Amino acid sequence: MGIPTEPIGSIPRPPALLAALSGHAEGKIGDAELAARQDEAIADTMARLEQAGSPVLVDGEQSKPSFVTYPLAGLTTLAPDGAVIPFADGHTRQLPCLTAGPFRYQRHAVTYLRAARGHTTLPVKQAIIAPSALSLLYPAAGVDGYPRKAFLDDLTAEAEAEIRECLDAGAHAVQLDFTEGRLSLKLDPSGSVLDDFVALNNQVLERFTDAERARIGVHTCPGGDQDSTHSADVDYAGLLPKLFQLKAGNFYIQLAGEPDPERVLGIIAENLRPGVRVFVGVTDPIDPVVETPEQVRDRVLAAARRIPPDQLGTCDDCGFSPFADDTSTSRDTAFAKIAVRVEGTRLASEALGL
């Protein structure tokens, strides 16, 4: 079967969808027209992934406002002044802040999955936001009548329900996006916040069987918005040992954009436990240059020298457009990188005799 390869999630939105998003925000088009443009973009995204040879598809997050805030769309108990995430190029993203409880997802990812599966017979993976990221919604000052413990209990229940719905609906895999893991070490070098994140995510993951966790994965990267990162300067050595404490069956780890991938592979090998698969990033969405299949092949072979091939997979380092307004990477470039990832992984599989 060779080495498995999967996309991470987001794909740049096509011009027609970007125009529809702007028109909808300005009140010029209605919900129905926006939904139609989103469905067209999903269909085109999945068709182009098939053309690129991708054995597992995603919807490209064409109808998500962002990889992190989709569960909040329509939630009225939010203020705009939440946590600020600074990126290396100077731009920021700001999360909202919870003002009242109880906390409930307004939209579950299974709705995206069902829409995507209507466009293909191939396996479809569903990316979701990790509960640790949404825990940042709770303000440091607290919420009147809604203690933090009650919020975390509600959040844990909502996250479990979202994963279970996707598994039951036939997702090939469910991927928890955990980009805040590396960032947490920048904000708190002691690692206390990271420990809390891992513990919270494990409270959710522990509710699933071993067979179910084999279809659940965790993605880590230093961010990838507008071709900039938020935590690439944080040493992976502080994150990876704790990352592998997460009770997931798959790990999707940004690697192609690292300055010393051999060192990172060594850390992965030291912390790898039996029964899990590590998908290493072999294409860099931030780099505008499209890799060659031979470059990808060589990156896979380097990983196979450290990671047993039966525990190895490949992926892109990150999504190509995690926020809907991110147009820093072209749609054609994203699909070109995906195509070389697929081909380079195939070449590596052949070289390894798999």
PDB file of all heavy atoms in Angstrom, residues 11 15 17 23 25 36 80 83 100 127 130 148 151 168 185 193 204 217 234 256 266 276 280 293 299 330 339 349 353:
ATOM      1  N   ILE A  11      -7.468  25.037   1.923  1.00  0.00           N
ATOM      2  CA  ILE A  11      -7.017  25.339   0.564  1.00  0.00           C
ATOM      3  C   ILE A  11      -7.469  26.773   0.258  1.00  0.00           C
ATOM      4  O   ILE A  11      -8.580  27.157   0.639  1.00  0.00           O
ATOM      5  CB  ILE A  11      -7.640  24.366  -0.465  1.00  0.00           C
ATOM      6  CG1 ILE A  11      -7.287  22.916  -0.133  1.00  0.00           C
ATOM      7  CG2 ILE A  11      -7.203  24.727  -1.880  1.00  0.00           C
ATOM      8  CD1 ILE A  11      -5.858  22.530  -0.357  1.00  0.00           C
ATOM      9  N   PRO A  15     -11.597  32.787  -6.527  1.00  0.00           N
ATOM     10  CA  PRO A  15     -12.049  34.188  -6.600  1.00  0.00           C
ATOM     11  C   PRO A  15     -13.556  34.351  -6.445  1.00  0.00           C
ATOM     12  O   PRO A  15     -14.018  35.302  -5.796  1.00  0.00           O
ATOM     13  CB  PRO A  15     -11.566  34.638  -7.987  1.00  0.00           C
ATOM     14  CG  PRO A  15     -10.383  33.769  -8.260  1.00  0.00           C
ATOM     15  CD  PRO A  15     -10.698  32.438  -7.646  1.00  0.00           C
ATOM     16  N   LEU A  17     -15.643  32.619  -4.726  1.00  0.00           N
ATOM     17  CA  LEU A  17     -16.037  32.484  -3.323  1.00  0.00           C
ATOM     18  C   LEU A  17     -15.564  33.688  -2.519  1.00  0.00           C
ATOM     19  O   LEU A  17     -16.306  34.193  -1.654  1.00  0.00           O
ATOM     20  CB  LEU A  17     -15.475  31.189  -2.731  1.00  0.00           C
ATOM     21  CG  LEU A  17     -15.748  30.961  -1.242  1.00  0.00           C
ATOM     22  CD1 LEU A  17     -17.235  31.075  -0.917  1.00  0.00           C
ATOM     23  CD2 LEU A  17     -15.208  29.613  -0.790  1.00  0.00           C
ATOM     24  N   GLY A  23     -19.273  40.092  -0.607  1.00  0.00           N
ATOM     25  CA  GLY A  23     -20.633  40.545  -0.870  1.00  0.00           C
ATOM     26  C   GLY A  23     -21.584  40.217   0.257  1.00  0.00           C
ATOM     27  O   GLY A  23     -22.466  41.022   0.609  1.00  0.00           O
ATOM     28  N   ALA A  25     -20.735  39.827   3.458  1.00  0.00           N
ATOM     29  CA  ALA A  25     -20.390  40.685   4.598  1.00  0.00           C
ATOM     30  C   ALA A  25     -20.945  42.090   4.424  1.00  0.00           C
ATOM     31  O   ALA A  25     -21.302  42.755   5.412  1.00  0.00           O
ATOM     32  CB  ALA A  25     -18.872  40.740   4.759  1.00  0.00           C
ATOM     33  N   ALA A  36     -24.308  28.548  -2.080  1.00  0.00           N
ATOM     34  CA  ALA A  36     -24.119  27.966  -3.416  1.00  0.00           C
ATOM     35  C   ALA A  36     -22.678  28.117  -3.882  1.00  0.00           C
ATOM     36  O   ALA A  36     -22.088  27.186  -4.437  1.00  0.00           O
ATOM     37  CB  ALA A  36     -25.072  28.627  -4.412  1.00  0.00           C
ATOM     38  N   PRO A  80     -15.466  41.005  21.456  1.00  0.00           N
ATOM     39  CA  PRO A  80     -14.378  40.915  20.464  1.00  0.00           C
ATOM     40  C   PRO A  80     -12.972  40.979  21.045  1.00  0.00           C
ATOM     41  O   PRO A  80     -12.000  40.808  20.308  1.00  0.00           O
ATOM     42  CB  PRO A  80     -14.637  42.129  19.572  1.00  0.00           C
ATOM     43  CG  PRO A  80     -15.285  43.118  20.483  1.00  0.00           C
ATOM     44  CD  PRO A  80     -16.129  42.315  21.428  1.00  0.00           C
ATOM     45  N   ALA A  83      -8.044  36.838  23.310  1.00  0.00           N
ATOM     46  CA  ALA A  83      -6.597  36.670  23.190  1.00  0.00           C
ATOM     47  C   ALA A  83      -6.105  37.108  21.814  1.00  0.00           C
ATOM     48  O   ALA A  83      -6.744  36.841  20.793  1.00  0.00           O
ATOM     49  CB  ALA A  83      -6.233  35.214  23.437  1.00  0.00           C
ATOM     50  N   ALA A 100     -20.821  34.887  28.676  1.00  0.00           N
ATOM     51  CA  ALA A 100     -21.859  34.204  29.452  1.00  0.00           C
ATOM     52  C   ALA A 100     -21.882  32.738  29.074  1.00  0.00           C
ATOM     53  O   ALA A 100     -21.402  32.344  28.002  1.00  0.00           O
ATOM     54  CB  ALA A 100     -23.235  34.832  29.209  1.00  0.00           C
ATOM     55  N   ALA A 127     -10.956  17.971   9.523  1.00  0.00           N
ATOM     56  CA  ALA A 127     -10.194  18.739  10.504  1.00  0.00           C
ATOM     57  C   ALA A 127     -11.149  19.461  11.444  1.00  0.00           C
ATOM     58  O   ALA A 127     -12.177  20.007  11.010  1.00  0.00           O
ATOM     59  CB  ALA A 127      -9.292  19.746   9.799  1.00  0.00           C
ATOM     60  N   ALA A 130      -8.977  21.899  18.131  1.00  0.00           N
ATOM     61  CA  ALA A 130      -8.742  21.233  19.406  1.00  0.00           C
ATOM     62  C   ALA A 130      -9.448  21.989  20.530  1.00  0.00           C
ATOM     63  O   ALA A 130      -9.505  23.226  20.516  1.00  0.00           O
ATOM     64  CB  ALA A 130      -7.246  21.146  19.695  1.00  0.00           C
ATOM     65  N   ARG A 148     -15.042  28.637  35.581  1.00  0.00           N
ATOM     66  CA  ARG A 148     -14.188  28.039  34.548  1.00  0.00           C
ATOM     67  C   ARG A 148     -14.379  26.530  34.462  1.00  0.00           C
ATOM     68  O   ARG A 148     -14.386  25.968  33.373  1.00  0.00           O
ATOM     69  CB  ARG A 148     -12.725  28.380  34.820  1.00  0.00           C
ATOM     70  CG  ARG A 148     -11.772  27.813  33.762  1.00  0.00           C
ATOM     71  CD  ARG A 148     -10.351  28.283  33.960  1.00  0.00           C
ATOM     72  NE  ARG A 148      -9.461  27.673  32.965  1.00  0.00           N
ATOM     73  CZ  ARG A 148      -9.291  28.128  31.727  1.00  0.00           C
ATOM     74  NH1 ARG A 148      -9.961  29.204  31.318  1.00  0.00           N
ATOM     75  NH2 ARG A 148      -8.472  27.526  30.889  1.00  0.00           N
ATOM     76  N   PHE A 151     -17.332  25.755  32.410  1.00  0.00           N
ATOM     77  CA  PHE A 151     -17.005  25.990  30.994  1.00  0.00           C
ATOM     78  C   PHE A 151     -16.204  24.834  30.413  1.00  0.00           C
ATOM     79  O   PHE A 151     -16.515  24.327  29.324  1.00  0.00           O
ATOM     80  CB  PHE A 151     -16.227  27.297  30.853  1.00  0.00           C
ATOM     81  CG  PHE A 151     -15.531  27.459  29.531  1.00  0.00           C
ATOM     82  CD1 PHE A 151     -16.249  27.685  28.365  1.00  0.00           C
ATOM     83  CD2 PHE A 151     -14.137  27.358  29.447  1.00  0.00           C
ATOM     84  CE1 PHE A 151     -15.607  27.821  27.136  1.00  0.00           C
ATOM     85  CE2 PHE A 151     -13.488  27.488  28.228  1.00  0.00           C
ATOM     86  CZ  PHE A 151     -14.216  27.722  27.078  1.00  0.00           C
ATOM     87  N   ASP A 168     -18.791   8.684  13.350  1.00  0.00           N
ATOM     88  CA  ASP A 168     -20.019   7.958  13.020  1.00  0.00           C
ATOM     89  C   ASP A 168     -20.495   8.255  11.600  1.00  0.00           C
ATOM     90  O   ASP A 168     -21.143   7.411  10.964  1.00  0.00           O
ATOM     91  CB  ASP A 168     -21.132   8.302  14.022  1.00  0.00           C
ATOM     92  CG  ASP A 168     -20.869   7.741  15.409  1.00  0.00           C
ATOM     93  OD1 ASP A 168     -19.971   6.877  15.545  1.00  0.00           O
ATOM     94  OD2 ASP A 168     -21.539   8.182  16.370  1.00  0.00           O
ATOM     95  N   LEU A 185       4.320  27.687  24.452  1.00  0.00           N
ATOM     96  CA  LEU A 185       5.657  27.746  25.025  1.00  0.00           C
ATOM     97  C   LEU A 185       6.311  29.113  24.815  1.00  0.00           C
ATOM     98  O   LEU A 185       7.226  29.482  25.547  1.00  0.00           O
ATOM     99  CB  LEU A 185       6.533  26.653  24.418  1.00  0.00           C
ATOM    100  CG  LEU A 185       6.166  25.227  24.838  1.00  0.00           C
ATOM    101  CD1 LEU A 185       6.933  24.209  24.012  1.00  0.00           C
ATOM    102  CD2 LEU A 185       6.422  25.023  26.328  1.00  0.00           C
ATOM    103  N   VAL A 193       1.178  26.075  30.773  1.00  0.00           N
ATOM    104  CA  VAL A 193       0.010  26.203  29.897  1.00  0.00           C
ATOM    105  C   VAL A 193      -0.062  25.009  28.943  1.00  0.00           C
ATOM    106  O   VAL A 193      -1.141  24.446  28.712  1.00  0.00           O
ATOM    107  CB  VAL A 193       0.060  27.532  29.112  1.00  0.00           C
ATOM    108  CG1 VAL A 193      -1.042  27.575  28.058  1.00  0.00           C
ATOM    109  CG2 VAL A 193      -0.084  28.710  30.065  1.00  0.00           C
ATOM    110  N   VAL A 204     -10.704  14.620  26.563  1.00  0.00           N
ATOM    111  CA  VAL A 204     -11.593  14.281  25.445  1.00  0.00           C
ATOM    112  C   VAL A 204     -11.172  12.962  24.812  1.00  0.00           C
ATOM    113  O   VAL A 204     -11.987  12.055  24.609  1.00  0.00           O
ATOM    114  CB  VAL A 204     -11.593  15.408  24.395  1.00  0.00           C
ATOM    115  CG1 VAL A 204     -12.432  15.011  23.179  1.00  0.00           C
ATOM    116  CG2 VAL A 204     -12.118  16.705  25.005  1.00  0.00           C
ATOM    117  N   GLY A 217      -6.362  12.067  14.977  1.00  0.00           N
ATOM    118  CA  GLY A 217      -5.002  12.582  14.938  1.00  0.00           C
ATOM    119  C   GLY A 217      -4.916  13.993  15.483  1.00  0.00           C
ATOM    120  O   GLY A 217      -5.928  14.665  15.719  1.00  0.00           O
ATOM    121  N   VAL A 234      10.196  28.862  18.508  1.00  0.00           N
ATOM    122  CA  VAL A 234      10.127  28.027  19.713  1.00  0.00           C
ATOM    123  C   VAL A 234      10.719  26.656  19.397  1.00  0.00           C
ATOM    124  O   VAL A 234      10.355  26.025  18.407  1.00  0.00           O
ATOM    125  CB  VAL A 234       8.672  27.880  20.192  1.00  0.00           C
ATOM    126  CG1 VAL A 234       8.579  26.886  21.353  1.00  0.00           C
ATOM    127  CG2 VAL A 234       8.118  29.237  20.609  1.00  0.00           C
ATOM    128  N   ALA A 256       8.876  20.308   6.989  1.00  0.00           N
ATOM    129  CA  ALA A 256       9.585  20.811   5.803  1.00  0.00           C
ATOM    130  C   ALA A 256      10.128  22.213   6.022  1.00  0.00           C
ATOM    131  O   ALA A 256      11.195  22.559   5.497  1.00  0.00           O
ATOM    132  CB  ALA A 256       8.656  20.787   4.589  1.00  0.00           C
ATOM    133  N   GLY A 266      15.073  13.278  15.010  1.00  0.00           N
ATOM    134  CA  GLY A 266      15.670  12.586  16.136  1.00  0.00           C
ATOM    135  C   GLY A 266      14.808  12.688  17.382  1.00  0.00           C
ATOM    136  O   GLY A 266      14.650  11.706  18.127  1.00  0.00           O
ATOM    137  N   VAL A 276       1.306   4.123  16.929  1.00  0.00           N
ATOM    138  CA  VAL A 276       0.870   5.406  16.377  1.00  0.00           C
ATOM    139  C   VAL A 276       1.571   5.636  15.046  1.00  0.00           C
ATOM    140  O   VAL A 276       2.597   5.022  14.751  1.00  0.00           O
ATOM    141  CB  VAL A 276       1.154   6.585  17.335  1.00  0.00           C
ATOM    142  CG1 VAL A 276       0.488   6.361  18.682  1.00  0.00           C
ATOM    143  CG2 VAL A 276       2.646   6.820  17.494  1.00  0.00           C
ATOM    144  N   VAL A 280       4.769  13.266   8.585  1.00  0.00           N
ATOM    145  CA  VAL A 280       5.713  14.382   8.605  1.00  0.00           C
ATOM    146  C   VAL A 280       5.428  15.318   7.433  1.00  0.00           C
ATOM    147  O   VAL A 280       5.102  14.880   6.327  1.00  0.00           O
ATOM    148  CB  VAL A 280       7.170  13.898   8.570  1.00  0.00           C
ATOM    149  CG1 VAL A 280       7.500  13.084   9.811  1.00  0.00           C
ATOM    150  CG2 VAL A 280       7.469  13.093   7.310  1.00  0.00           C
ATOM    151  N   PRO A 293       9.125  16.473  -6.973  1.00  0.00           N
ATOM    152  CA  PRO A 293       8.874  15.141  -6.419  1.00  0.00           C
ATOM    153  C   PRO A 293      10.129  14.524  -5.811  1.00  0.00           C
ATOM    154  O   PRO A 293      10.053  13.807  -4.798  1.00  0.00           O
ATOM    155  CB  PRO A 293       8.379  14.349  -7.627  1.00  0.00           C
ATOM    156  CG  PRO A 293       7.772  15.368  -8.530  1.00  0.00           C
ATOM    157  CD  PRO A 293       8.638  16.586  -8.365  1.00  0.00           C
ATOM    158  N   ARG A 299      13.001  13.796   1.344  1.00  0.00           N
ATOM    159  CA  ARG A 299      12.551  14.125   2.698  1.00  0.00           C
ATOM    160  C   ARG A 299      11.866  12.918   3.352  1.00  0.00           C
ATOM    161  O   ARG A 299      12.048  12.662   4.544  1.00  0.00           O
ATOM    162  CB  ARG A 299      11.591  15.316   2.653  1.00  0.00           C
ATOM    163  CG  ARG A 299      12.278  16.634   2.329  1.00  0.00           C
ATOM    164  CD  ARG A 299      11.296  17.775   2.073  1.00  0.00           C
ATOM    165  NE  ARG A 299      12.004  19.025   1.805  1.00  0.00           N
ATOM    166  CZ  ARG A 299      11.421  20.159   1.454  1.00  0.00           C
ATOM    167  NH1 ARG A 299      10.099  20.215   1.319  1.00  0.00           N
ATOM    168  NH2 ARG A 299      12.144  21.244   1.234  1.00  0.00           N
ATOM    169  N   SER A 330      -1.466  31.094  -3.740  1.00  0.00           N
ATOM    170  CA  SER A 330      -2.476  30.920  -4.779  1.00  0.00           C
ATOM    171  C   SER A 330      -3.061  29.513  -4.715  1.00  0.00           C
ATOM    172  O   SER A 330      -2.420  28.566  -4.237  1.00  0.00           O
ATOM    173  CB  SER A 330      -1.884  31.173  -6.163  1.00  0.00           C
ATOM    174  OG  SER A 330      -1.091  30.070  -6.579  1.00  0.00           O
ATOM    175  N   ALA A 339       0.216  17.854  -5.347  1.00  0.00           N
ATOM    176  CA  ALA A 339       0.527  16.851  -6.372  1.00  0.00           C
ATOM    177  C   ALA A 339       1.950  16.324  -6.214  1.00  0.00           C
ATOM    178  O   ALA A 339       2.195  15.114  -6.335  1.00  0.00           O
ATOM    179  CB  ALA A 339       0.323  17.442  -7.761  1.00  0.00           C
ATOM    180  N   SER A 349       8.068   5.432  -1.471  1.00  0.00           N
ATOM    181  CA  SER A 349       7.529   4.094  -1.193  1.00  0.00           C
ATOM    182  C   SER A 349       8.169   3.056  -2.097  1.00  0.00           C
ATOM    183  O   SER A 349       8.535   1.950  -1.652  1.00  0.00           O
ATOM    184  CB  SER A 349       6.011   4.086  -1.381  1.00  0.00           C
ATOM    185  OG  SER A 349       5.375   4.955  -0.454  1.00  0.00           O
ATOM    186  N   GLY A 353      10.650  -0.180  -1.220  1.00  0.00           N
ATOM    187  CA  GLY A 353      10.085  -1.493  -1.518  1.00  0.00           C
ATOM    188  C   GLY A 353       8.737  -1.745  -0.888  1.00  0.00           C
ATOM    189  O   GLY A 353       8.374  -2.894  -0.609  1.00  0.00           O
TER     190      GLY A 353
END
